[in-house]
Amino acid sequence: MVDTMPMTGTATDVVLRAKDCDMYYGSLKAVRDVSIDIPKNKITAFIGPSGCGKSTVLRCFNRLNDLIESFRLKGQMTYHGQDLYASDVDPVEVRRRIGILFQKPNPFPKSIYDNIAYGPRISGFKGDMDELVETSLRRAVLWDEVKDKLPESGFSLSGGQQQRLCIARTIAVQPEVLLMDEPCSALDPISTLKIEELMKELVQNYTIIIVTHNMEQATRVADYTGFYNAQVVEGAGGKVGYLAEFGETQKIFNDPTLEETKDYVTGRFG
Amino acid sequence: MTTISGVPGDSSDTFDIQSLKAKRSRSRNLFNIIMTGLSGLSILIALVPLVLVLFYVFINGVNRLDLDLFTQLPPPPGSAGGGIANAIVGTLIVVAIAAAISVPIGVLCAIWLSEFGGGDTSIDEYVRFGVNILAGVPSIIAGVFIYGIMVRPGRPGYSALAGGVALAVLMLPTIVRTADEALKIVPQEIRWAALAVGASNYQTILKVVLPAAIPSILTGVTLAIARAAGETAPLIFTALFSPFRFNGVTNPIATLSVLVYNFATLPFQPQQELAWAASLVLVLMVLLTSIIARVVTRQKTY
Ligand SMILES: Nc1ncnc2c1ncn2[C@@H]1O[C@H](COP(=O)(O)OP(=O)(O)O)[C@@H](O)[C@H]1O
Ligand SMILES: [Mg+2]
C-alpha cells in the first residue's frame, strides 16, 4: 500500500482523515489498511473495480455504516481532527455536515419543495424556508426548471433533474462535505455533464468525494484520485479491498507509481 | 448445382421455401393448439361460477333494490316491505372497529419486522411464521376464540365490539404481510438519504418510509376489509344480530352477512327477498372496495 500525501508542502487543509482503517462485515474483512487525507474544497475521486470497498469507505465518512448491523470499523477516522467515532459524537450531526448522494436518484415521496425543506425542518431551521429552498435549488442549477412546479411530486422530474434535486436537498442542510457514490451512472451523458459542471461550481464551497467507474469523469472533475483494488485472501474465501494508490489525478492517470494502477487506468485490467 | 458464389440471391434455387411455411400437422404445433384450447377452457370453467353468482344475486336481489332497502328496518317475519338499513350500517361499523384495531397493530408490527427485525435475531422469523399460521386459521375458530374471551356467560356478552375484534383477528395477518412487503420494497437508499439530512430513525420511518409504502399498505388493508366484510361464522358467535338500529358498540348488532344467513333460511318470501337484496348489497360493497384497492395501487411510489 502506498500512502501518498499529496498535500505536503501546500497549505491545503485536511477535512477528513482515515488512519489505518480496517472495515468488516461480520467476520468478513472487506477493506484493509486505508489511510487517506481528504483535502478541503477539492474534488477527490475514488476509482477501482467493483467490490473493492469504495462505497464502504465512503459510507464510513458519515457513519452511515452504523446502520448495517454487522459492520465494524477498526482504526481512526477524523473530521477536522475530531475522532468521528468517539462515543460522545452524535452520528445524526455528523451526517448533517457530511451529506451523501447515491447512484440512483432517490427523491423523498414528497413535493419538490418538501424534498428540500424536509432536512432543514427536522433540524429546527427557523429562517425563511422559501428562500432556503430557492437558494438550494439555484445552487443545484435546478431552480429555473422547477420554480413553477414546486408543489409537484419529486418523481415528476427526469432522472437527471431528480439527481440535482437530491443534491439540492443535501446542500439545504448546509453540509461541508458531499459524498457521491456513482452519482451519474444512472444518468444520460447530458445530465452527467450537467452534474459535473455543478460539482465544479460547488467545490468552491464544499469538499467533494466522488466514487466513479468512469475514468474520463475522474480526469474531468477530480483534483485527487484514489485507486482501490482488491486482493484474494487465502482461507477466508473472499477478497479484501485496499487503497492502492492516492495522489493528484494528473499523476495517477499519467504517471502512476504502481503497475496495477497503470493497468486499471489504461483499461488493461483483468 | 454449380453456384458456389457468396451472393445470397444466387442460392435461391437450392433453398426450399416450403420449409419455412407453417404446418399444422407438425407435432409441436399440434401440442400448442391443444394446450391453448385446454387453458382457454379452464379459464371459462373458472369464470362460470363467478359470473353465475353475480348474475343470480343480481337477478334475485335487484327488484328489492329501492330506497326503502337503505332506510327501513327489517319487517317482522312474514310481513313484506322494510329494508336492511341497520345491517348495512352494522357491517360498516363492525368492519370499522376491526380496521381501527387491526390496521395500527398490523402496520406497527410490520414496521418492527422490516425496519428493526433482521440482524442477528431470528425473532422476526418466528413472528412471520406465526403470522402465516394465523392467516390459515379458519374464521370460525377466530369467532370461537373471541366468544371465549368476550362473550360467554360471565363475560360482557354479544356486542358489536366483540364482532369487530373477531374480524380484526382475521384481518391482522393480511395487513402485517402486505405492509411488511410494502415496507421492504422501499429502497434502502431512501432511508439513508433521510438519515443523511439529519433525520432520526423514527422520523425516517414515519415521515419518509411509511408515506412511500402507503399505496401498497392501503391495498392490503382494503383487501383485508373486503374479506372481513363477508365473514359470517365469527360474527354469529360475537356480534349476533339485532332487528333494531345501531344501539352502541356494547350491544348486539345487525350485519349483512348474518342477515343473509338468518333470512335466507326463513320460510317467508319477503324475508328471502331481503336476503337476496342484502347479498347484492354485500357483493357490491366488496366489489367497490376491491376496485378502490386496485385504483390506489396504481399510484405506486417505487
Ligand atoms: N451491507 C453489506 N453487508 C455485507 N457485505 C457488504 C455490504 N456492503 C458491501 N459488502 C461487501 O463489502 C465489499 C466491498 O463492497 P463495496 O464497498 O460496495 O465495494 P465497491 O463500492 O467498491 O463496489 C464487497 O465484498 C461487498 O460484498
Ligand atoms: Mg459501490
Side-chain angles (χ1 to χ4, degrees), chain A residues 59 62 64-65 67-69 92 95-96 98-100 102 104 106-110 118-120 122-123 155 169-170 173, chain B residues 116-121 187-201 203-204 207-208 211-212 301-302:
Chain A
R59 290 198 301 261
N62 74 344
L64 262 190
N65 284 330
L67 306 167
I68 300 172
E69 219 152 311
V92 174
R95 291 177 204 131
R96 195 171 292 155
I98 307 177
I100 191 162
F102 299 100
K104 217 171 137 251
N106 56 353
F108 296 139
K110 297 173 183 296
Y118 180 71
I122 55 173
S123 56
F155 293 106
R169 165 179 88 188
T170 308
V173 290
Chain B
F116 299 105
D120 53 0
T121 61
Q188 190 59 32
E189 280 84 7
I190 200 88
R191 297 181 174 83
W192 286 355
L195 293 162
V197 294
S200 72
N201 233 334
Q203 281 170 328
T204 304
K207 298 280 176 56
V208 175
T301 327
Y302 294 104

Side-chain angles (χ1 to χ4, degrees), chain B residues 4-54:
Chain B
I4 33 168
S5 90
V7 185
D10 280 357
S11 57
S12 59
D13 51 342
T14 67
F15 182 71
D16 175 16
I17 198 75
Q18 284 305 314
S19 66
L20 270 185
K21 298 265 164 77
K23 287 192 204 70
R24 247 158 218 277
S25 56
R26 262 198 199 127
S27 69
R28 68 158 187 259
N29 291 350
L30 218 65
F31 182 71
N32 266 350
I33 292 167
I34 293 175
M35 284 314 286
T36 312
L38 274 181
S39 37
L41 195 66
S42 309
I43 288 180
L44 268 183
I45 294 175
L47 282 179
V48 161
L50 175 69
V51 173
L52 278 187
V53 165
L54 286 180

Side-chain angles (χ1 to χ4, degrees), chain A residues 6-17 36-42 44 79-81 176-177 206-207 224 246:
Chain A
M7 283 70 61
T8 39
T10 74
T12 325
D13 295 335
V14 174
V15 176
L16 284 163
R17 167 174 288 163
I36 193 169
D37 285 0
I38 306 294
K40 190 173 164 67
N41 292 358
K42 299 276 181 229
T44 302
Y79 174 57
H80 292 294
E176 188 189 349
V177 182
Y206 301 89
T207 300
Y224 297 96
F246 178 53

Side-chain angles (χ1 to χ4, degrees), chain A residues 50-51 53-56 59 103 181-182 211 213:
Chain A
S50 292
K54 305 178 296 294
S55 303
T56 303
R59 290 198 301 261
Q103 175 173 2
D181 196 346
E182 301 182 36
V211 174
H213 277 135

Side-chain angles (χ1 to χ4, degrees), chain A residues 225-244:
Chain A
T225 298
F227 169 60
Y228 287 78
N229 205 348
Q231 104 197 131
V232 178
V233 276
E234 288 102 57
K239 44 183 199 165
V240 57
Y242 57 97
L243 176 62

